Amino acid sequence: MEEIGLLMQGFAVALQPGNMLLMLVGVVLGVLIGVLPGLGGANGIAILLPLTFAMPPVSAVIMLSCIYWGALFGGAITSILFNIPGEPWSVATTFDGYPMAQQGRAGEALTAAFTSSFFGAFVAVVMITFVAPIIAGFALRFGPPEFFAVMFLSFACFVGMAKGSPLKTLAAMMLGFLLAAVGMDTVTGQLRMTFGSEEMIRGFDFLVAVIGLFGISEILCSIEEGLHFRGQKAKIDLKVVLRTWAELPRHWFLAIRSALIGCWMGITPAGATPASFMSYGVARRMSKDPAGFGQGRIEGVVAPETAAHAAGTSALLPMLTLGVPGSPTAAVLLGGLIMWGLQPGPMLFVEQKEFVWGLVASMYLGNVAGLLVVLVAVPWFAAILRVPFPIIAALILTVCAIGAYTVSNAEFDIVLMLIFGIVGYVMKKLDYPLAPLVLALVLGDRTEEAFRQSLLVSNGDLGIFFHNWLSGGIMAAGIALLLWPALAWARAALASGLGRARAA
Amino acid sequence: MSTTTLDLAPAAGRSSQGVRRSAMEVATSLALALIGAAAIWDSSRLGAGWGAEGPQSGYFPFWIGLILAGTSLANLVPVLRARGAAAEAMFVTWPQLRLVMSVLIPTVFYVAAIPLSGIYLASAALVAYFMMRLGEFTWRSALPAAVATALVAFVTFEVWFLVGLPKGPIEELLGF
Amino acid sequence: MQFVVPAGTGGGADQMARVIQGIVSKHALMRQPMVVVNKAGGAGAEGFLEAKGARGNPHMLVITLSNLFTTPLATGVPFSWKDLTPVTMMALDEFVFWVNANSSWRSVQDLIAAAKQQRLKIGGTGSKQEDQIIAAAITKASGAQFTYVPFRGGGEVAVQLVGGHIDATVNNPIEAVTHWRSGALRPLCVFDTKRLADTGKMTETQAWSDIPTCREQGLDVDYLMLRGIFMPAGVKPEQVAFYEGLMAKVRETPEWKDLMQQGAFNTTSLTGEAFGAWLAREDERHRSLMQDAGFLANPA
């Protein structure tokens, strides 16, 4: 009960007018950071961190965590409006969010995305409040084999999703894996596939590739039909928020399941990106109408957004209790804590109770503040689509170029972005699916790394992936999911065979 | 692969009113197979075996390259077998390609100009060009919009977020 | 003013760069804003090549870690510390030999004896960098074989040890201190020629200064990691002097002293010729350590 008292105290601190103002400033800045691709939450927090040293730590952390919230919310905006994911975990949001915007339902998609984000984050904060000490230790069980098993499960959830030619799906996925492998091999320190080029040492950053493959290629595809964007007729009034809210309760089960997937992935700590893909994959598999996914189903927005934000939020738990950052943003926050003289880790919850509960309180309030700010702004965001095509196209190209550059301050990345844009255009027109490529690019090297670390640990014994119930269980679930389409197909074939036999 | 679109366009044009889909399929498959082959070559250099303690650096890229090359070549089969309407399908028609190029070519110039002029000047020029060429704006509205874009970007990135973007001679002259 | 960090966000070098950035802006030590830029690609090769290419640019600083020596040697990237202008050594980072507190190993001898029975696993950050070099040096000094398992960051390595997935680590003090204090990890020895200076109690019974050196424990290995500031080559002496003065002011601030104390850093600081001589010596030493371990990309 002491915790609840401290949490209430935390609320009291966070609700002081000065801190409320900081929250608002933080959320607005965060949304801006989330909207501009390349400028991640890590940049915003890193740059503002020095400014916050003049404040008391609680105020500073309130402002910084609100930037974090704002960035989480903001990532969905460009995904839905322009097919450009501002953050890795917004990629899955584009699959259905962008088609919705093209159909003139941008407001609906944005509202669904923001509300789901809020819900996912809220579930995660409640979990942190009440069961933090119990689950904090859970991340410790995750060694390399368990980590590999989780990655394997993410892939398994997604395989069999793509429509069209399986050969093209496979080729796209392999291309993604190869791109992920370029650069330094973390296990042996060797340079792979750089072919002596200094620019290639860096490898292919996910964001640069995605800005090109999704954003630039989309501009090229859409102008074939004339110099305008589809979806310009988007309704832009606040009623769309209420209308969408009336529809959302129908998806309560989906939201809860996605939130749980997100929390699990955040604690483990695999992170928000695999969580969003996994949740999308599961939602599609469990749906009665899987073919409708990718064409603008609201579930396709709810599932990844809920999971990504549940994961992004619960990832703060291993950071605070173990000192392991779940994302670059969390890593910079971690650096901030150290500068305020707070040492993240198991002792933080014991020695700095007030700080921890102040942070948790700010998570509740920051989440609410974030939702209010972005929902009020929905019509404005949707109105961006009404800007005349020549202006908006030039602005998107500019923002993409800046985004590609800022990822690692390299002019070569802008060239790469353009190349990826043309590649994406060609692949899209030839029906190569881009989602498997991106999934492989995001998770490829971490998966390989975990696999090889596991084998180092086991002296080359593959049995390590089944050495305990945890990794064995996850692996088994993944294998079952992989075999699912084959099983379903076999059953259907059998059934039709029987039917024919009976008819004959 | 960036060049395949541009190179193939005129060649295929003589026989039809656009770029054939089959030509692009072949080009893409060959390009992917080439990437796969490059991966195989580089991986064999690093060692693509399975050592005492798991796979070597080149193990995964080697097999992935092999699968990529294999599937890409397999993708050629239905294309080469296709007859009739499937073989005649268009990848992009000339009018469509002209529209795509009206955006793509200035973008290529834009990207090429960034290292020379800095990103702000190039972006302003891009905005002005798009507004005047693709839209029906006069320089009276295009010029202020272009300047505003550059200024907003400058204030947001350089001043607020302290993120340095590529700068050119003009910014140097102003002392940044 | 660009402050290049040839490592990812959240690591030791990155944290130190951001503390310096914070101190400079808080105490208004410089007129221009200082911008921290992470260039982590290829174990820092990206950042070093950028600095090498910025010859004569007085608006760039580079903070280095041991990858200043190890990355060019391990990857063959055309770069050496001589392509930069040394400004000052800010501090040296210590390394401590850690095991899980639940293990039965209470001294280095226990661990070495166990390692000779059964191959044990040492976790560390990156590949063919400082952690793996220390692991190789331990093998060389003791004769016990270890499997080195590379991870991405020091914090992750410490947690893997707490979770029992690996047997030992050579984490920096700051990366493992919180787990030590919570009773999850046990320090065996410090890889330095003398004990750590800080005598304040960190746990109920132990202070940093209570950890024996590895040499006292019969394991003759010492290793310190450079946290130094460099500029690109071809800058004017007065420009170097400016940043030397700036960093001297930074070292006088209470925030810096807090960081040094928290991370149990070795606060040795060198500039000018002495620093250059130190660098040349360390470069040679890394070359021979890596040669012994077979880590060189182009063995001479």
Side-chain angles (χ1 to χ4, degrees):
Chain A
M1 276 304 99
E2 190 200 354
E3 278 76 15
I4 304 299
L6 285 166
L7 183 63
M8 289 305 142
Q9 232 173 317
F11 275 124
V13 174
L15 282 172
Q16 286 163 7
N19 289 339
M20 296 267 278
L21 189 69
L22 285 179
M23 265 161 54
L24 206 62
V25 172
V27 168
V28 173
L29 271 177
V31 170
L32 188 63
I33 290 165
V35 166
L36 297 169
L39 205 59
N43 291 81
I45 292 184
I47 288 151
L48 290 170
L49 212 45
L51 306 181
T52 57
F53 292 130
M55 310 174 186
V58 176
S59 301
V61 101
I62 286 173
M63 182 167 168
L64 290 175
S65 70
C66 281
I67 292 177
Y68 188 75
W69 291 121
L72 280 177
F73 279 119
I77 297 170
T78 44
S79 308
I80 289 171
L81 296 183
F82 305 119
N83 207 27
I84 302 170
E87 310 282 349
W89 51 80
S90 322
V91 173
T93 311
T94 63
F95 298 161
D96 280 275
Y98 183 65
M100 283 179 81
Q102 283 184 314
Q103 294 157 13
R105 292 153 70 204
E108 200 183 322
L110 287 169
T111 309
F114 295 148
T115 314
S116 319
S117 313
F118 170 79
F119 179 76
F122 190 79
V123 170
V125 181
V126 170
M127 185 196 69
I128 291 180
T129 314
F130 293 102
V131 287
I134 307 167
I135 52 177
F138 191 64
L140 286 176
R141 292 172 174 266
F142 273 72
E146 288 78 12
F147 201 79
F148 174 78
V150 169
M151 290 297 176
F152 178 74
L153 184 62
S154 311
F155 278 108
C157 283
F158 221 70
V159 165
M161 286 232 350
K163 290 159 253 178
S165 157
L167 277 177
K168 285 186 171 173
T169 308
L170 195 60
M173 192 169 224
M174 292 303 133
L175 183 63
F177 277 123
L178 275 190
L179 292 175
V182 173
M184 178 161 282
D185 168 19
T186 35
V187 178
T188 61
Q190 283 169 307
L191 293 175
R192 295 196 294 196
M193 289 181 281
T194 58
F195 302 103
S197 154
E198 289 179 10
E199 298 285 4
M200 302 273 274
I201 288 177
R202 211 167 39 237
F204 291 102
D205 188 89
F206 159 81
L207 266 178
V208 175
V210 163
I211 290 172
L213 287 173
F214 283 57
I216 306 281
S217 80
E218 190 55 42
I219 296 181
L220 297 180
C221 280
S222 63
I223 48 175
E224 280 186 355
E225 285 146 42
L227 296 174
H228 59 81
F229 271 124
R230 281 170 283 173
Q232 288 178 337
K233 304 285 178 291
K235 291 220 174 59
I236 46 169
D237 57 69
L238 266 176
K239 278 190 212 122
V240 72
V241 173
L242 299 175
R243 266 205 315 280
T244 314
W245 272 5
E247 197 198 335
L248 282 176
R250 248 191 285 159
H251 306 298
W252 63 273
F253 181 70
L254 174 76
I256 290 175
R257 185 180 62 215
S258 305
L260 292 180
I261 291 177
C263 289
W264 152 266
M265 295 294 271
I267 297 162
T268 54
T273 312
S276 63
F277 281 109
M278 195 187 267
S279 169
Y280 185 89
V282 171
R284 197 182 158 214
R285 263 164 199 278
M286 301 290 167
S287 167
K288 289 196 192 77
D289 171 31
F293 274 74
Q295 327 245 337
R297 281 191 76 100
I298 201 163
E299 292 98 317
V301 174
V302 172
E305 282 291 311
T306 310
H309 296 205
T313 309
S314 48
L316 290 174
L317 191 65
M319 180 190 103
L320 292 173
T321 54
L322 300 172
V324 184
S327 68
T329 316
V332 178
L333 258 181
L334 192 74
L337 294 184
I338 292 171
M339 269 189 272
W340 290 312
L342 301 165
Q343 184 61 248
M347 301 308 282
L348 192 68
F349 272 79
V350 181
E351 293 174 349
Q352 302 284 350
K353 281 191 178 148
E354 274 173 51
F355 170 81
V356 169
W357 292 106
L359 176 65
V360 173
S362 84
M363 287 163 111
Y364 278 102
L365 296 170
N367 200 11
V368 175
L371 182 70
L372 290 178
V373 169
V374 288
L375 279 184
V376 168
V378 160
W380 296 344
F381 293 136
I384 298 176
L385 288 177
R386 294 199 169 178
V387 175
F389 175 82
I391 302 177
I392 198 76
L395 290 181
I396 292 177
L397 287 172
T398 304
V399 168
C400 284
I402 293 176
Y405 176 81
T406 47
V407 168
S408 44
N409 297 287
E411 280 166 6
F412 182 68
D413 280 349
I414 307 179
V415 178
L416 269 184
M417 168 199 83
L418 187 58
I419 294 175
F420 274 116
I422 298 167
V423 170
Y425 169 71
V426 172
M427 289 181 74
K428 229 182 243 181
K429 295 215 69 178
L430 295 180
D431 300 321
Y432 280 88
L434 292 176
L437 192 164
V438 170
L439 183 72
L441 177 59
V442 182
L443 302 181
D445 56 341
R446 295 304 303 258
T447 312
E448 185 198 350
E449 195 181 294
F451 182 81
R452 291 168 63 190
Q453 283 167 346
S454 309
L455 290 186
L456 277 174
V457 168
S458 73
N459 292 325
D461 177 12
L462 283 169
I464 189 161
F465 297 112
F466 295 91
H467 75 133
N468 61 16
W469 64 267
L470 186 58
S471 69
I474 304 172
M475 287 297 290
I479 292 170
L481 273 174
L482 269 186
L483 295 179
W484 186 281
L487 287 176
W489 178 82
R491 211 177 51 187
L494 209 66
S496 76
L498 280 178
R500 226 176 297 141
R502 223 170 276 154
Chain B
M1 236 186 290
S2 63
T3 51
T4 51
T5 343
L6 307 176
D7 289 345
L8 276 169
R14 259 167 263 144
S15 56
S16 68
Q17 73 279 43
V19 182
R20 285 217 193 164
R21 194 181 156 102
S22 52
M24 285 308 294
E25 287 273 13
V26 172
T28 309
S29 289
L30 290 180
L32 288 176
L34 206 68
I35 294 175
I40 294 171
W41 177 72
D42 189 70
S43 307
S44 5
R45 177 182 67 85
L46 289 170
W50 189 285
E53 277 148 8
Q56 289 174 294
S57 270
Y59 180 82
F60 282 104
F62 179 85
W63 286 101
I64 288 167
L66 204 63
I67 298 174
L68 180 62
T71 49
S72 307
L73 294 178
N75 270 331
L76 284 176
V77 175
V79 179
L80 298 178
R81 274 209 194 143
R83 295 281 175 274
E88 298 293 319
M90 283 297 129
F91 175 77
V92 58
T93 63
W94 292 133
Q96 283 178 336
L97 189 65
R98 200 167 306 124
L99 279 171
V100 172
M101 286 302 156
S102 71
V103 169
L104 188 58
I105 290 173
T107 309
V108 170
F109 276 105
Y110 168 64
V111 171
I114 288 173
L116 306 172
S117 69
I119 208 164
Y120 300 107
L121 187 63
S123 302
L126 185 77
V127 170
Y129 177 87
F130 268 41
M131 285 177 74
M132 289 166 68
R133 275 304 293 272
L134 305 182
E136 276 151 16
F137 294 93
T138 60
W139 62 269
R140 258 177 239 275
S141 46
L143 203 64
V147 172
T149 307
L151 278 182
V152 168
F154 187 83
V155 170
T156 315
F157 287 94
E158 304 278 339
V159 182
W160 272 13
F161 287 113
L162 298 179
V163 175
L165 294 181
K167 287 179 274 287
I170 295 188
E171 289 90 347
E172 297 256 321
L173 217 72
L174 294 172
F176 284 97
Chain C
M1 222 290 298
Q2 262 201 345
F3 197 176
V4 176
V5 180
T9 40
D14 181 59
Q15 277 176 24
M16 188 173 278
R18 293 187 192 280
V19 170
I20 293 175
Q21 179 198 29
I23 292 172
V24 167
S25 66
K26 185 172 171 187
H27 296 267
L29 298 177
M30 203 169 61
R31 217 162 36 82
Q32 285 167 301
M34 188 182 244
V35 183
V36 175
V37 184
N38 293 87
K39 297 234 172 206
E46 186 194 347
F48 292 129
L49 290 173
E50 164 119 353
K52 184 184 178 182
R55 208 186 147 77
N57 180 354
H59 302 296
M60 182 187 280
L61 288 186
V62 187
I63 187 162
T64 68
L65 40 159
S66 281
N67 64 0
L68 175 70
F69 308 119
T70 57
T71 296
L73 290 172
T75 60
V77 170
F79 170 82
S80 113
W81 67 271
K82 297 187 185 84
D83 294 325
L84 298 178
T85 309
V87 176
T88 175
M89 175 195 290
M90 295 301 282
L92 293 168
D93 210 344
E94 303 277 358
F95 289 82
V96 175
F97 208 176
W98 302 92
V99 292
N100 193 304
N102 294 327
S103 71
S104 57
W105 307 312
R106 304 203 161 265
S107 68
V108 176
Q109 284 87 353
D110 291 350
L111 185 71
I112 299 292
K116 284 182 176 166
Q117 297 292 318
Q118 180 205 357
R119 207 178 165 107
L120 296 181
K121 292 160 292 230
I122 292 186
T125 310
S127 186
K128 295 175 186 167
Q129 294 179 33
E130 56 280 354
D131 288 6
Q132 196 173 6
I133 289 175
I134 298 174
I138 295 171
T139 297
K140 193 183 169 202
S142 68
Q145 293 290 326
F146 293 91
T147 298
Y148 177 79
V149 188
F151 292 92
R152 290 211 167 184
E156 195 183 334
V157 176
V159 170
Q160 291 290 325
L161 182 60
V162 175
H165 304 285
I166 46 180
D167 300 306
T169 71
V170 291
N171 273 119
N172 299 129
I174 204 163
E175 292 165 345
V177 61
T178 174
H179 301 290
W180 180 32
R181 296 184 56 216
S182 74
L185 295 185
R186 176 187 304 142
L188 293 182
C189 67
V190 52
F191 294 97
D192 198 350
T193 47
K194 55 182 192 306
R195 289 192 178 204
L196 299 177
D198 192 40
T199 51
K201 285 266 181 278
M202 298 302 285
T203 67
E204 284 180 9
T205 53
Q206 276 190 308
W208 283 116
S209 60
D210 293 326
I211 306 173
T213 66
C214 292
R215 192 168 293 170
E216 285 174 48
Q217 292 262 306
L219 179 67
D220 195 5
V221 177
D222 60 280
Y223 189 92
L224 288 164
M225 175 151 72
L226 172 66
R227 301 285 187 200
I229 306 281
F230 291 75
M231 291 179 76
V235 290
K236 299 191 183 82
E238 61 267 26
Q239 288 160 344
V240 178
F242 169 78
Y243 287 112
E244 228 181 273
L246 180 73
M247 290 303 153
K249 278 183 230 156
V250 167
R251 277 198 300 271
E252 289 310 308
T253 58
E255 289 88 353
W256 179 261
K257 288 182 173 152
D258 276 354
L259 178 81
M260 291 294 108
Q261 198 249 333
Q262 268 183 40
F265 283 94
N266 179 325
T267 52
T268 311
S269 150
L270 295 172
T271 53
E273 302 236 322
F275 187 30
W278 186 91
L279 286 167
R281 212 163 53 237
E282 278 294 297
D283 193 26
E284 242 348 278
R285 193 176 111 138
H286 277 89
R287 184 180 294 279
S288 79
L289 280 170
M290 289 179 70
Q291 176 115 45
D292 293 344
F295 292 165
L296 294 187
N298 308 308

